[in-house]
Amino acid sequence: MQRIFHTPEGVRDIYNGECSQKHHLQAEIYKVFRSYGYEEIETPSIEYFEVFSKEVGTVPSRDLYKFFDREGNTLVLRPDFTPSVSRACATYFNPDQQVVTLCYTGNTFVNNSSYQGRLKETTQMGVERIGDDSPEADAELLAMTIESLLASGLTEFQISVGQVDYFKSLLKDAGLEEEVEERLRSLISQKNYFGVEDLVKEQKLSESLEKAFLELPHLFGTSEVLAKARSLTDNTCALAAVERLEEIYEILKVYGYEKYVSFDFGMLSKIQYYTGIIFQAYTYGIGEPVVKGGRYNELLKHFGKPAASIGFVIVVDNLLMALSRQKIEVAKDEAPVVLTYTEENRREAILEAQRLRKEGSCVALRCEKEED
């Protein structure tokens, strides 16, 4: 019986024109990263489990690919670049003395449930700016996100910007139980207005807090929602979060990119290490974000070297799919010049191919098949 070989569920082969297009796309994005002075780094695909443990606040343990080495240590396939780069930065750099700016390209592995229909292995490109807590750093990464998407060929996209500190400040005032907090976070993220209303009214909160939580799923749109968010609370930390977004928006105006940005106070990531601004980029033709990012000021503390940081990742596979569905052409390699030869003219064909290659041409040598 003939055996059929195919890939496991959630992973795929990339070949022919698509593979070439993917490499060209990555090259264009990398040019943007380098233009901002970011230095490349490579981290291993295999890391110790502790790098992605529950305390770090990244991908849940059940979604990790886990295995053991010869010494019995638990290892995982990298599900998320940020903890990996943070570990490396804490080992080799001194972000407390100078800002560290790193960029990377590689694959991540997340064991999603099969019914979700997502790829389990994805190619990601991203940057991390470590040791910089300024609003200028936040605005720079938003600008880099926008320039990367423009470099890919996209013209219609939107960067949705949130602020997790705003929500966390309201939670602190409310004093809710952890389980209730998680339910509320999930309902707000899903824009489940009725679910939020039912849950909040059960908690017997003050009138002002109740109103703020009920408004959160509706707090999205242009810069006008910043004033609305400010009017909903007198919490000092929450107001500081709004003020931060206002300053970032003013800096983006200097870049000339403010038209690509909207705000969403109901965007609450499942990633627990985010501490301030978070953002996602969306475009037509795909429901998943093509870019995800945010500030994570507490993460490097886990690796013994505290440093305020911010980063983002471009999901290359999602971006390629969006470009394809929007019928935006991505450059790919030209077909090679094909030289055929027989046993009699093999020498001449090889010499001619070498001459053309030295001139910059791509040449494929093919032996002529003998006719029966």
Side-chain angles (χ1 to χ4, degrees):
M1 180 178 177
Q2 184 180 2
R3 295 179 65 188
I4 299 175
F5 295 95
H6 55 82
T7 62
E9 185 176 5
V11 297
R12 68 190 188 102
D13 298 312
I14 301 173
Y15 53 95
N16 288 348
E18 185 184 0
C19 194
S20 174
Q21 288 177 322
K22 185 174 183 178
H23 289 160
H24 277 276
L25 176 61
Q26 290 174 185
E28 292 303 310
I29 293 171
Y30 177 67
K31 287 179 187 177
V32 176
F33 294 173
R34 286 297 298 149
S35 73
Y36 277 78
Y38 284 64
E39 179 184 349
E40 272 195 295
I41 187 172
E42 290 186 7
T43 60
S45 300
I46 300 172
E47 296 265 15
Y48 285 116
F49 171 73
E50 287 73 20
V51 175
F52 305 99
S53 64
K54 183 178 180 181
E55 292 74 25
V56 173
T58 178
V59 176
S61 176
R62 66 179 180 275
D63 292 339
L64 299 176
Y65 283 99
K66 297 187 284 285
F67 52 99
F68 302 97
D69 63 13
R70 290 177 181 269
E71 288 71 42
N73 298 303
T74 305
L75 307 177
V76 300
L77 288 176
R78 174 186 57 215
D80 178 1
F81 265 100
T82 299
S84 288
V85 175
S86 298
R87 173 199 54 74
C89 181
T91 304
Y92 307 114
F93 299 92
N94 293 302
D96 56 328
Q97 297 177 15
Q98 62 180 18
V99 176
V100 179
T101 53
L102 302 170
C103 64
Y104 54 82
T105 301
N107 288 9
T108 59
F109 307 85
V110 179
N111 193 13
N112 298 307
S113 299
S114 57
Y115 69 83
Q116 291 177 321
R118 297 174 182 168
L119 287 173
K120 298 185 178 185
E121 179 184 15
T122 58
T123 301
Q124 299 189 349
M125 297 185 72
V127 302
E128 311 293 343
R129 187 176 182 90
I130 302 168
D132 189 345
D133 194 26
S134 68
E136 290 80 9
D138 296 346
E140 177 175 289
L141 264 72
L142 288 171
M144 289 178 70
T145 298
I146 293 163
E147 287 186 27
S148 296
L149 295 179
L150 290 172
S152 77
L154 283 183
T155 56
E156 295 185 71
F157 58 88
Q158 197 69 22
I159 315 295
S160 185
V161 180
Q163 235 291 0
V164 297
D165 283 346
Y166 187 89
F167 177 68
K168 288 180 178 179
S169 299
L170 297 180
L171 283 180
K172 191 173 182 180
D173 280 354
L176 302 176
E177 295 180 0
E178 185 176 346
E179 183 181 342
V180 177
E181 285 186 8
E182 286 307 308
R183 284 174 57 202
L184 183 59
R185 179 191 299 273
S186 177
L187 290 168
I188 291 174
S189 296
Q190 297 165 11
K191 301 283 192 284
N192 186 335
Y193 309 123
F194 298 113
V196 172
E197 183 176 1
D198 290 342
L199 182 60
V200 168
K201 289 189 179 298
E202 290 174 3
Q203 306 311 310
K204 309 300 182 188
L205 302 173
S206 67
E207 185 179 342
S208 60
L209 266 178
E210 182 177 301
K211 182 181 179 183
F213 283 127
L214 292 177
E215 284 292 337
L216 273 179
H218 303 273
L219 270 182
F220 60 91
T222 63
S223 58
E224 295 174 358
V225 303
L226 297 176
K228 180 66 180 295
R230 183 184 285 278
S231 70
L232 288 173
T233 181
D234 57 3
N235 181 291
T236 304
C237 292
L239 292 175
V242 177
E243 185 177 335
R244 175 83 168 207
L245 290 180
E246 290 170 338
E247 187 169 2
I248 292 167
Y249 188 67
E250 289 302 313
I251 299 170
L252 276 176
K253 288 181 180 178
V254 179
Y255 283 96
Y257 292 147
E258 70 275 12
K259 71 177 182 178
Y260 296 104
V261 172
S262 60
F263 297 93
D264 185 356
F265 284 84
M267 182 172 63
L268 305 170
S269 175
K270 293 180 181 178
I271 301 295
Q272 296 298 308
Y273 55 65
Y274 286 136
T275 57
I277 178 179
I278 58 173
F279 54 93
Q280 297 180 344
Y282 291 91
T283 187
Y284 301 109
I286 184 168
E288 295 287 318
V290 293
V291 182
K292 297 177 283 189
R295 178 163 286 284
Y296 51 98
N297 286 353
E298 303 296 323
L299 180 56
L300 265 80
K301 188 186 297 183
H302 179 79
F303 301 107
K305 207 174 271 189
S309 309
I310 183 171
F312 72 78
V313 62
I314 298 171
V315 186
V316 177
D317 306 86
N318 287 355
L319 181 54
L320 264 176
M321 188 183 300
L323 290 166
S324 173
R325 290 177 176 175
Q326 292 183 33
K327 303 191 183 312
I328 297 174
E329 288 290 329
V330 179
K332 59 182 178 181
D333 295 331
E334 294 183 7
V337 175
V338 178
L339 291 183
T340 59
Y341 64 90
T342 62
E343 187 175 345
E344 289 75 21
N345 71 345
R346 179 178 59 194
R347 183 177 186 277
E348 291 76 10
I350 292 172
L351 291 174
E352 176 65 6
Q354 288 296 86
R355 183 186 69 79
L356 291 171
R357 288 166 183 152
K358 288 177 181 178
E359 291 178 355
S361 298
C362 298
V363 182
L365 279 171
R366 299 287 185 267
C367 181
E368 288 186 14
K369 294 183 178 179
E370 295 183 6
E371 297 183 4
D372 295 332

